[in-house]
Amino acid sequence: MYRLNIKKGFHPVITEQYLRRYLKKYLRYAFVSLVILLTACTTNKSTLTIATFSDNNLSEWQERVFNNKTHYTLVDDNGIRVLRADSKHSASALYQQIDVDLTKTPFLNWRWKITDTFDGNDEKTKTGDDYPVRLYVVFPGSGFSFTPRSLTYVWSNTADFNSHWYNPYSDDVIMLALENGSQKAGQWVVEKRNVMADLEERFGELIKSIIGLAIMTDTDNTKVETTSYYGDIYFSAK
């Protein structure tokens, strides 16, 4: 027989039957704990957070100025922290270098809000290449090219939903219209896209990973002023 010291001066006799009950109970708790741990790991791997503006966090973003600075600041919107972009004849972006396996998390999720679109600008020309909001998905060049390429989701002035065109400054960038016009101005609009599917359809290649993501509100070509907003951004498995 075995003895187990629970406290000083108390030595209960441990029988074989007691040990079996104890081990059975212990193993059951251990199994449940393992299931919880594995579930947590699976859940964590099913999403990949890129932007946590709601946590008042801009630490992982860098700025790239093209023509004057768009001012990006964290503000409260109905009690939730979001990113505000104020552009006055300016074009600068916030970008982040990332490594996303699209075979595991192909869906890009975000929300954005505009105050207005820009009347009269032809977005397919250099003089009209401005948007109240746009989101770049960046991936490596093809073949021996070291120039990164990008699929850019935009809120267009007049382009039809899901229509796409080459950016007037670069054939390595394709624009894809998700919203158009000012009908939804002042409202938060939630977007969700299968990036791997969008890339294959627009570039004709199976692209399994991306290396960067950027957001930009710009008015340097149209010479107007605008204010727009971005919410949290993350990738998900479904």
Coordinates of all heavy atoms in Angstrom, one line a residue, residues 1-2 13-25:
M1 N 0.8 -1.2 0.0 CA 0.0 0.0 0.0 C 0.9 1.2 0.0 O 2.1 1.2 0.3 CB -0.9 0.0 1.2 CG -0.2 0.0 2.6 SD -1.4 0.0 3.9 CE -2.2 -1.6 3.6
Y2 N 0.3 2.4 -0.3 CA 1.0 3.7 -0.5 C 0.4 4.7 0.5 O -0.8 4.7 0.8 CB 0.9 4.2 -1.9 CG 1.5 3.2 -2.9 CD1 0.6 2.3 -3.5 CD2 2.8 3.3 -3.3 CE1 1.1 1.3 -4.4 CE2 3.3 2.3 -4.2 CZ 2.4 1.4 -4.7 OH 2.9 0.5 -5.7
V13 N -4.5 6.3 4.3 CA -4.1 5.1 3.5 C -4.6 5.2 2.1 O -5.8 5.3 1.9 CB -4.5 3.8 4.2 CG1 -4.2 2.6 3.4 CG2 -3.9 3.7 5.6
I14 N -3.8 5.0 1.1 CA -4.2 5.1 -0.3 C -4.4 3.7 -0.8 O -3.4 2.9 -0.9 CB -3.2 5.9 -1.1 CG1 -2.9 7.2 -0.5 CG2 -3.6 6.0 -2.6 CD1 -4.1 8.1 -0.5
T15 N -5.6 3.3 -1.1 CA -5.9 2.0 -1.7 C -5.7 2.0 -3.2 O -5.7 3.1 -3.8 CB -7.3 1.6 -1.3 OG1 -8.2 2.4 -1.9 CG2 -7.5 1.6 0.2
E16 N -5.7 0.8 -3.7 CA -5.6 0.7 -5.2 C -6.9 1.3 -5.9 O -6.8 1.9 -6.9 CB -5.5 -0.8 -5.6 CG -5.3 -1.0 -7.1 CD -5.1 -2.5 -7.4 OE1 -4.9 -3.3 -6.5 OE2 -5.1 -2.8 -8.6
Q17 N -8.0 1.1 -5.3 CA -9.3 1.6 -5.8 C -9.2 3.2 -5.8 O -9.6 3.8 -6.8 CB -10.5 1.1 -5.0 CG -11.8 1.6 -5.6 CD -13.0 1.0 -4.8 OE1 -12.8 0.4 -3.7 NE2 -14.2 1.2 -5.3
Y18 N -8.7 3.8 -4.7 CA -8.6 5.2 -4.6 C -7.7 5.7 -5.7 O -7.9 6.8 -6.4 CB -8.1 5.6 -3.3 CG -7.9 7.1 -3.1 CD1 -9.0 7.9 -2.7 CD2 -6.7 7.7 -3.4 CE1 -8.8 9.2 -2.5 CE2 -6.5 9.1 -3.2 CZ -7.6 9.8 -2.8 OH -7.4 11.2 -2.6
L19 N -6.5 5.0 -5.9 CA -5.6 5.5 -6.9 C -6.2 5.4 -8.3 O -6.0 6.3 -9.1 CB -4.3 4.6 -6.9 CG -3.3 4.9 -5.9 CD1 -2.2 3.9 -5.9 CD2 -2.7 6.3 -6.2
R20 N -7.0 4.4 -8.6 CA -7.7 4.3 -9.9 C -8.6 5.5 -10.1 O -8.7 6.1 -11.2 CB -8.4 3.0 -10.0 CG -7.4 1.8 -10.2 CD -8.2 0.5 -10.3 NE -7.3 -0.6 -10.6 CZ -7.8 -1.9 -10.6 NH1 -9.1 -2.2 -10.5 NH2 -6.9 -2.9 -10.8
R21 N -9.4 5.8 -9.1 CA -10.4 6.9 -9.2 C -9.6 8.2 -9.4 O -10.0 9.1 -10.2 CB -11.3 7.0 -8.0 CG -12.3 5.9 -7.9 CD -13.4 6.3 -6.9 NE -12.9 6.7 -5.6 CZ -12.8 5.9 -4.6 NH1 -13.1 4.6 -4.7 NH2 -12.4 6.3 -3.4
Y22 N -8.5 8.4 -8.6 CA -7.7 9.6 -8.7 C -7.1 9.8 -10.1 O -7.2 10.9 -10.7 CB -6.6 9.6 -7.6 CG -5.7 10.8 -7.7 CD1 -6.0 12.0 -7.1 CD2 -4.5 10.7 -8.4 CE1 -5.2 13.1 -7.2 CE2 -3.6 11.8 -8.4 CZ -4.0 13.0 -7.8 OH -3.2 14.1 -7.9
L23 N -6.5 8.7 -10.6 CA -5.9 8.8 -11.9 C -6.9 9.0 -13.1 O -6.6 9.8 -14.0 CB -5.1 7.5 -12.2 CG -3.8 7.3 -11.4 CD1 -3.2 6.0 -11.6 CD2 -2.8 8.4 -11.7
K24 N -8.1 8.4 -12.9 CA -9.1 8.6 -13.9 C -9.5 10.0 -14.0 O -9.7 10.6 -15.0 CB -10.3 7.7 -13.6 CG -11.4 7.7 -14.7 CD -12.5 6.7 -14.3 CE -13.6 6.8 -15.4 NZ -14.7 5.8 -15.0
K25 N -9.7 10.6 -12.8 CA -10.2 12.0 -12.7 C -9.1 12.9 -13.2 O -9.3 13.9 -14.0 CB -10.5 12.3 -11.2 CG -11.0 13.8 -11.0 CD -11.3 14.0 -9.5 CE -11.9 15.4 -9.3 NZ -12.2 15.6 -7.9

